[in-house]
């Protein structure tokens, strides 16, 4: 999927790219607390910072919050 959104929409990024980025949280939570809590589904976003439009290709970096294993920071970067 091209990371950029279509010019005719109000999306800053392709919704599929954002959804894929959110899916990177689950493996980290599994490593941290296991499956004792059942299935974990992201339910909210605290903040979004946009510095530039997305290029064609992006990389996603995800890290868990240092004190809350059910919170994570997701950074979507230019792949270069």
């Amino acid at each position: 999927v091209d990371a950029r959104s279509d010019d005719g929409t109000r999306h800053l990024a392709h919704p599929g790219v954002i959804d894929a980025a959110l899916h990177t949280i689950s493996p980290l939570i599994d490593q941290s607390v296991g499956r004792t809590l059942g299935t974990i589904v992201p339910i909210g976003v605290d903040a979004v910072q946009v510095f530039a439009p997305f290029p064609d290709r992006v990389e996603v970096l995800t890290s868990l919050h240092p004190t809350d294993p059910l919170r994570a920071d997701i950074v979507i970067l230019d792949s270069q």
Side-chain angles (χ1 to χ4, degrees), residues 4 7 15-16 24 32 37 49 53 72 77:
R4 295 174 294 168
D7 292 334
T24 65
S32 177
L37 302 174
Q49 294 180 328
L77 301 169

Side-chain angles (χ1 to χ4, degrees), residues 4-22:
R4 295 174 294 168
S5 185
D6 294 334
D7 292 334
T9 70
R10 55 175 220 243
H11 300 290
L12 297 174
H14 191 288
V17 172
I18 303 303
D19 184 58
L22 289 170

Side-chain angles (χ1 to χ4, degrees), residues 1-72:
V1 173
D2 186 338
R4 295 174 294 168
S5 185
D6 294 334
D7 292 334
T9 70
R10 55 175 220 243
H11 300 290
L12 297 174
H14 191 288
V17 172
I18 303 303
D19 184 58
L22 289 170
H23 282 283
T24 65
I25 299 169
S26 295
L28 295 177
I29 291 175
D30 281 350
Q31 289 175 358
S32 177
V33 297
R35 297 207 175 240
T36 58
L37 302 174
T39 302
I40 303 294
V41 177
I43 60 167
V45 175
D46 285 338
V48 175
Q49 294 180 328
V50 178
F51 298 102
F54 282 171
D56 292 340
R57 295 181 54 88
V58 295
E59 291 184 12
V60 176
L61 303 174
T62 306
S63 58
L64 289 180
H65 190 274
T67 60
D68 184 350
L70 297 180
R71 290 181 73 132

